[in-house]
Amino acid sequence: MRLTGLIAVLLLIAGCSRATVEEPEPSPTGPSAPTTSSAPTSAATTTPSSSKPSAPPAAGAPIADVITWIEAGRPADPTGYHKATRDGETTDLIDDIAFTVPAGPRRVTTCMTDAESTDSALACVVDLVNPPPQPQDIYGQWKGGWIDYGGNTLRVGSAHGDPGRFLHGAGAELPDGSSLSFGDYRCRADRVGLFCVNYAHRSAVLFSPEGIGTFGCLQPVPPPADAAKLFSCAS
């Protein structure tokens, strides 16, 4: 009887030794990832918009300001300025440009290019309020408002026995606030006058009935005998 009880105790001890203890299973979601707070950034960065100049450049303005003013004008289509009209007859100028700008009551500025000219790619006849007087020893028809602008030179006043390049008349009107680009030049019409820049020489001119203004490298130099004034970029 005692033997039977002893066997039962031994069997109970052996069964307990083979028992395993289950450990708690890890959470299926795993450890929580640290949360990253998206703090609001500083005020949104704004790109400053380049504002258009509100007024024409004054006398002595830097050439960069003059160019900015001219380029702020509404671009005109150059194809509409390849013709000139005189007495109702229209002539195709082929590659040359002709345009007219109103310059106050009953005053106009007429401009035209000449591809065959060796000293002036652009000429304008300005109805000046006070045109320069005719120099001594100059014969022929003096035109004090005839301006030759070659980019690196500006010549005011000259004698002409014939209309020259304006033989075929005048070109179409360039409206106020519009700009016209041709060759190395770009011009903008304004109530103050006509502003033209020559990019090749970084010079500019204001054609106005009140007078002719220069910008950039153009500086006054002694004029030749057949001109009233001369400006040059030569140092």
Side-chain angles (χ1 to χ4, degrees), residues 2 10 21 24 44-45 75 81 89 110 113 122 124 151 169 175 193 196 205 209-210 235:
R2 291 179 179 178
L10 293 175
V21 179
T45 303
Y81 297 91
E89 184 177 350
T110 303
T113 64
L122 177 65
C124 295
C196 291
V205 178
E210 285 69 32
S235 55

Side-chain angles (χ1 to χ4, degrees), residues 86-178:
R86 181 179 184 180
D87 298 331
E89 184 177 350
T90 299
T91 301
D92 189 347
L93 301 176
I94 312 301
D95 295 327
D96 281 315
I97 290 285
F99 59 95
T100 301
V101 177
R106 299 182 301 277
R107 294 184 182 275
V108 296
T109 295
T110 303
C111 298
M112 188 178 295
T113 64
D114 185 358
E116 298 181 357
S117 175
T118 58
D119 57 353
S120 175
L122 177 65
C124 295
V125 177
V126 185
D127 189 4
L128 294 173
V129 175
N130 295 307
Q134 181 172 339
Q136 295 180 353
D137 302 327
I138 292 295
Y139 302 97
Q141 186 178 1
W142 172 253
K143 294 185 178 181
W146 185 298
I147 316 297
D148 287 308
Y149 180 33
N152 63 336
T153 59
L154 178 74
R155 176 183 172 128
V156 179
S158 58
H160 292 271
D162 56 64
R165 68 181 70 187
F166 296 99
L167 174 65
H168 300 298
E173 178 180 327
L174 183 64
D176 180 26
S178 298

Side-chain angles (χ1 to χ4, degrees), residues 34-98:
T35 57
T36 302
S37 61
S38 56
T41 57
S42 57
T45 303
T46 57
T47 303
S49 58
S50 58
S51 58
K52 294 183 178 180
S54 58
I63 186 63
D65 293 350
V66 181
I67 293 175
T68 299
W69 168 259
I70 294 174
E71 292 181 344
R74 299 184 303 273
D77 187 357
T79 59
Y81 297 91
H82 287 295
K83 296 180 180 180
T85 302
R86 181 179 184 180
D87 298 331
E89 184 177 350
T90 299
T91 301
D92 189 347
L93 301 176
I94 312 301
D95 295 327
D96 281 315
I97 290 285

